[in-house]
Amino acid sequence: PLAVSGETVLSPQAWAHVSDTVVEGDRIDERPEFHRLVALDTNFHTYPTVKIASQKNDKRSSFRLHPTHLPVARRFIPGAVFKQIENGTLQYVNEMRSISVIFIQVIGVDVSTDKGAVKAQSLMQAIQGGCYPHEGFVNKFLVDDKGLLFLCIFGQPPLVHTDD
């Protein structure tokens, strides 16, 4: 693989779109046409500039629901967001947030067997037990040919902290 855990490597096509606004990392000797991304260039991208640009280019007003449609739409709107709609504080929902995401991959558990299913359940409980005390949650649980994948998220509203 061109990248290890925690790294981002861009194809030549992707690099052509962002090369002027990012910081490039060490050269990839085995595939020099690919580029290791270190960070966004803070001369171009800071939290305030991205937030202002996103608000300025927000074209969603033409898609707003009429208040009479809210009871039907409620089934599809997360509870924390719906409370913001009811309280008239929706502007606080539309903001960029820093969140932390943890990917946990487990190899060697065959969930098609009774023993594997029990093991997967105990892993889920253990991971939830690690997330919940820190106000995080398991967002996704996937089973495929590569094993089990748990996606844990910290910093989602309404459980936001300054150090997420």
Side-chain angles (χ1 to χ4, degrees), residues 25-39:
D26 296 332
R27 187 170 192 265
I28 303 171
D29 293 327
E30 58 273 10
R31 297 289 300 273
E33 69 274 19
F34 285 80
H35 301 270
R36 186 169 283 121
L37 177 67
V38 174

Side-chain angles (χ1 to χ4, degrees), residues 23-104:
V23 178
E24 185 174 10
D26 296 332
R27 187 170 192 265
I28 303 171
D29 293 327
E30 58 273 10
R31 297 289 300 273
E33 69 274 19
F34 285 80
H35 301 270
R36 186 169 283 121
L37 177 67
V38 174
L40 293 174
D41 186 342
T42 56
N43 293 319
F44 296 101
H45 300 288
T46 62
Y47 176 79
T49 59
V50 173
K51 180 178 180 179
I52 291 167
S54 68
Q55 289 173 340
K56 183 178 176 183
N57 293 304
D58 187 357
K59 307 287 188 247
R60 294 175 296 170
S61 61
S62 61
F63 299 106
R64 294 209 177 162
L65 291 174
H66 189 271
T68 59
H69 298 139
L70 282 177
V72 174
R74 183 180 192 146
R75 292 181 285 179
F76 306 101
I77 299 173
V81 174
F82 197 81
K83 285 194 180 298
Q84 299 289 337
I85 293 170
E86 287 180 319
N87 295 331
T89 56
L90 190 58
Q91 69 270 16
Y92 300 115
V93 175
N94 183 25
E95 65 179 285
M96 295 184 63
R97 296 178 186 263
S98 296
I99 62 168
S100 297
V101 180
I102 299 175
F103 294 88
I104 302 171

Side-chain angles (χ1 to χ4, degrees), residues 76 119 135:
F76 306 101
K119 181 67 173 173
E135 296 186 333

Side-chain angles (χ1 to χ4, degrees), residues 106-120 143 147-148:
V106 179
I107 300 171
V109 176
D110 183 4
V111 296
S112 66
T113 66
D114 288 344
K115 186 176 179 182
V118 170
K119 181 67 173 173
V143 179
L148 308 177

